Amino acid sequence: LLVAAQRDGTLRFFTPSGELAMSASTGHEAPLAHVAISPLHDEYLVVTADENGLVRVHKVSVRQRRVSREERLARRSSVEDKLSQHLGSQINATLALSRRLRMPNGTDGRPRPITALALASLQGTKYFIAGHAHGAFTVLTRNGTLHARIESNLTSSIERFSVHLSTVVFLSDGHWGIVDLEKMEARLIRCPHFEGRVTSAIVDAQQQARVVVADEGGDVWALSVHNKRQCRIEHRFPKSLALPPVELASIRGYTLALGREYG
């Protein structure tokens, strides 16, 4: 399903064909600020955070829609034009609140505003990851327990995450880096012969060691990252594929690039 979030806290779920499968409220009282989706298929989770820092974890249940015995009998006895049972929604989707969380205060004892939000998994353990100002990260376990506070040498806010399983890529003020969940460290990645500011960075959905980035000129690069430290340029796509700024996504081995329209 495709999930679309609104500032008023409403989530809309669409099928790949564009059909609205469900619309539900997340229950936030403050405007919605961040949404994160579970990267695993064993449990469908949607995590939302509002401007007051309240985090709500929602479980999504999806199953094939079945026509009840009463509906079948009603259709057989109806004298009106017959309609196929395959018309309309073919799935039943529900959204249920699983947990409420609030990020712990920073080392200075004050709440830290959330600037980015993600879910990741390492060896079967699920983590909630929040980015903050000044390159700080908070990592919580599935039950909301504080697992780690990560401080980096960044001076800018964490703007967004891209996650595939245990690979967590972050973007901050034109630079990108990796959150290492095994060592609970965050580091910027420098790639030889790559220059410029990064506007989008994603993990390849089929190769965790590959990161695809777009620079401020609209050029798209495929980078290979070894041991979450060493980086080399693997491929540079033809220049001017799209007008900047370019947003990237990875689906089944394909990279999608969205840029401004020419003309």
Side-chain angles (χ1 to χ4, degrees), residues 46-209:
V46 178
V47 181
T48 55
D50 61 32
E51 291 184 349
N52 289 340
L54 179 64
V55 179
R56 295 169 72 91
V57 183
H58 314 269
K59 185 174 182 179
V60 181
S61 298
V62 181
R63 65 181 185 275
Q64 196 71 22
R65 184 177 182 274
R66 294 183 178 180
V67 180
S68 66
R69 182 173 180 273
E70 291 75 14
E71 288 178 312
R72 289 197 300 269
L73 292 175
R75 287 175 178 174
R76 290 172 184 172
S77 60
S78 175
V79 296
E80 299 178 358
D81 292 339
K82 301 295 184 179
L83 295 177
S84 170
Q85 69 180 39
H86 299 291
L87 293 177
S89 178
Q90 296 301 301
I91 64 171
N92 283 329
T94 58
L95 185 73
L97 178 65
S98 173
R99 189 176 298 276
R100 298 180 183 88
L101 306 173
R102 189 173 291 277
M103 290 293 164
N105 294 338
T107 54
D108 58 359
R110 294 183 298 179
R112 281 181 164 175
I114 298 172
T115 60
L117 187 66
L119 283 85
S121 176
L122 176 65
Q123 298 176 353
T125 302
K126 295 182 176 68
Y127 296 102
F128 303 127
I129 307 171
H132 310 285
H134 306 297
F137 303 84
T138 300
V139 182
L140 305 180
T141 60
R142 175 71 171 79
N143 62 5
T145 302
L146 176 64
H147 184 73
R149 287 190 179 97
I150 303 175
E151 304 289 339
S152 69
N153 56 2
L154 294 171
T155 58
S156 53
S157 299
I158 306 304
E159 298 169 9
R160 67 181 75 175
F161 290 110
S162 174
V163 179
H164 182 60
L165 301 179
S166 63
T167 301
V168 182
V169 168
F170 66 85
L171 188 67
S172 176
D173 192 29
H175 303 284
W176 70 278
I178 288 180
V179 178
D180 190 333
L181 293 178
E182 291 183 289
K183 299 181 179 180
M184 287 298 159
E185 298 175 349
R187 64 183 72 93
L188 287 177
I189 302 297
R190 309 289 185 184
C191 214
H193 309 297
F194 174 84
E195 297 180 356
R197 296 173 60 83
V198 174
T199 59
S200 183
I202 61 169
V203 184
D204 189 299
Q206 290 192 334
Q207 297 189 43
Q208 291 190 65

